[in-house]
């Protein structure tokens, strides 16, 4: 697989990888056609699993290579990591502050961001879209980093990241389509809304790859930035959403650890 990817420009590689992650989002949304209501315990576990994948990807695929790359480029590794990591978190906080969105399981009156008259379905899609911005960016930056030719950035690691992000996108697509179905929306429309939340990933992926290829000196910052943005999403949204039901906390915690382990195995085995 890695040999196949190497024949393409890194921007094309990032586009292919993020089209894959978008496709898995659509597959998750497509459950609305073949399944009844997903039990809250299962949905919470899926979100917990996604959180685990994102935590592992943030370190193994982004933060650790970013620190190593900073050292190879003669930067101060810890300073580069802090600036990039906190920059990603601050960027997501600003986006979260102003983009109208609604978290799963909440009433429309509890929507966040700039107040609008948009429908609940639109606000739910925007909440998942907010998750996908750093995910697409992370994949794009990972493939763009390979072009720098530094030992810390490998095509295997970038592919592992794309696979991990794709796996955790499945429950995110389901998390949009199923609640909308429960509210009486037609199945086809639920699917369209669910897959739409992943459209931003190819866009962010291509931008991320192109940006770091033009300015390779900021690669370590970009990798750490993507890690910070993903950790923000996990701590601010995925973990609270997955553990909202106190009866499922232990199960969700184990699902999170399984997700972390799966992503760690992918990165270590392929990277």
């Amino acid at each position: 697989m890695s040999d196949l990817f190497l024949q393409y420009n890194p921007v094309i590689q990032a586009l292919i990888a993020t089209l894959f992650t978008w496709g898995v989002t659509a597959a998750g949304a497509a459950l609305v056609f073949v399944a009844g209501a997903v039990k809250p315990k299962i949905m919470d576990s899926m979100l917990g699993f996604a959180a685990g994948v994102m935590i592992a990807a943030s370190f193994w695929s982004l933060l650790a290579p970013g620190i190593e790359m900073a050292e190879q480029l003669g930067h101060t590794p810890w300073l580069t990591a802090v600036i990039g990591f906190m920059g990603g978190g601050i960027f997501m906080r600003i986006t979260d502050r102003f983009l109208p969105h609604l978290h799963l399981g909440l009433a429309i009156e509890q929507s966040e961001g700039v107040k609008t008259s948009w429908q609940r379905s639109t606000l739910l899609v925007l909440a998942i879209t907010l998750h996908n911005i750093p995910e697409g960016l992370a994949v794009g930056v990972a493939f763009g980093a390979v072009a720098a030719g530094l030992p810390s950035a490998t095509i295997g690691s970038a592919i592992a990241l794309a696979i991990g992000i794709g796996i955790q996108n499945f429950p995110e697509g389901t998390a949009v389509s199923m609640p909308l179905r429960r509210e009486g929306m037609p199945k086809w429309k639920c699917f369209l809304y669910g897959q739409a939340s992943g459209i931003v990933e190819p866009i962010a992926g291509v931008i991320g790859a192109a940006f770091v290829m033009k300015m390779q000196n900021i690669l370590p910052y970009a990798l750490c930035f993507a890690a910070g943005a993903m950790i923000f999403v996990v701590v601010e949204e995925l973990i609270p959403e997955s553990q909202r039901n106190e009866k499922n906390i232990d199960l969700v915690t184990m699902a999170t650890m399984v997700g972390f382990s799966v992503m760690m195995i992918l990165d270590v085995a392929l990277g």
Side-chain angles (χ1 to χ4, degrees):
M1 183 183 292
S2 59
D3 292 338
L4 178 64
F5 264 83
L6 284 172
Q7 66 181 299
Y8 297 109
N9 178 282
V11 174
I12 302 301
Q13 293 172 356
L15 177 61
I16 294 171
T18 48
L19 285 174
F20 162 74
T21 62
W22 178 20
V24 181
T25 304
L31 276 185
V32 73
F33 293 117
V34 298
V38 176
K39 295 181 179 179
K41 182 183 294 187
I42 296 176
M43 192 71 251
D44 291 346
S45 298
M46 291 170 69
L47 291 175
F49 179 89
V53 169
M54 289 182 70
I55 294 170
S58 297
F59 177 75
W60 293 99
S61 300
L62 299 169
L63 197 57
I67 293 172
E68 185 179 345
M69 194 176 294
E71 190 171 6
Q72 292 166 354
L73 293 174
H75 299 174
T76 304
W78 67 265
L79 183 60
T80 299
V82 168
I83 291 173
F85 187 81
M86 291 304 299
I90 292 169
F91 169 78
M92 290 305 297
R93 175 67 187 103
I94 293 172
T95 305
D96 185 73
R97 173 70 178 81
F98 292 103
L99 180 70
H101 62 284
L102 177 66
H103 296 299
L104 297 171
L106 299 181
I108 194 166
E109 294 78 15
Q110 296 174 284
S111 61
E112 299 179 12
V114 176
K115 297 303 178 184
T116 72
S117 58
W118 294 349
Q119 294 182 345
R120 175 183 173 83
S121 55
T122 303
L123 294 174
L124 281 171
V125 171
L126 286 175
I128 303 298
T129 300
L130 189 61
H131 294 182
N132 291 337
I133 292 173
E135 294 167 12
L137 182 65
V139 173
V141 169
F143 279 99
V146 177
L150 296 172
S152 53
T154 67
I155 189 69
S157 180
I159 292 173
L161 177 61
I163 293 173
I165 294 296
I167 291 172
Q168 68 89 44
N169 272 0
F170 189 88
E172 291 189 352
T174 306
V176 175
S177 63
M178 287 301 188
L180 295 178
R181 179 59 182 162
R182 286 199 300 269
E183 294 175 8
M185 186 177 288
K187 290 183 179 180
W188 67 269
K189 199 169 184 179
C190 296
F191 168 75
L192 288 179
Y193 275 115
Q195 64 81 34
S197 64
I199 290 177
V200 71
E201 289 197 6
I203 298 171
V206 168
I207 292 174
F211 186 69
V212 297
M213 286 183 65
K214 295 292 184 181
M215 303 179 66
Q216 291 188 0
N217 201 45
I218 69 164
L219 264 174
Y221 296 98
L223 287 166
C224 296
F225 179 96
M230 287 177 63
I231 289 296
F232 179 94
V233 169
V234 170
V235 176
E236 204 266 347
E237 298 186 22
L238 281 182
I239 290 178
E241 288 171 7
S242 66
Q243 298 198 354
R244 188 165 286 128
N245 188 334
E246 294 183 358
K247 295 180 180 179
N248 299 334
I249 287 180
D250 289 341
L251 178 63
V252 170
T253 299
M254 291 307 300
T256 303
M257 295 185 69
V258 170
F260 185 99
S261 299
V262 168
M263 185 64 227
M264 181 172 60
I265 291 169
L266 281 172
D267 196 274
V268 174
L270 296 180

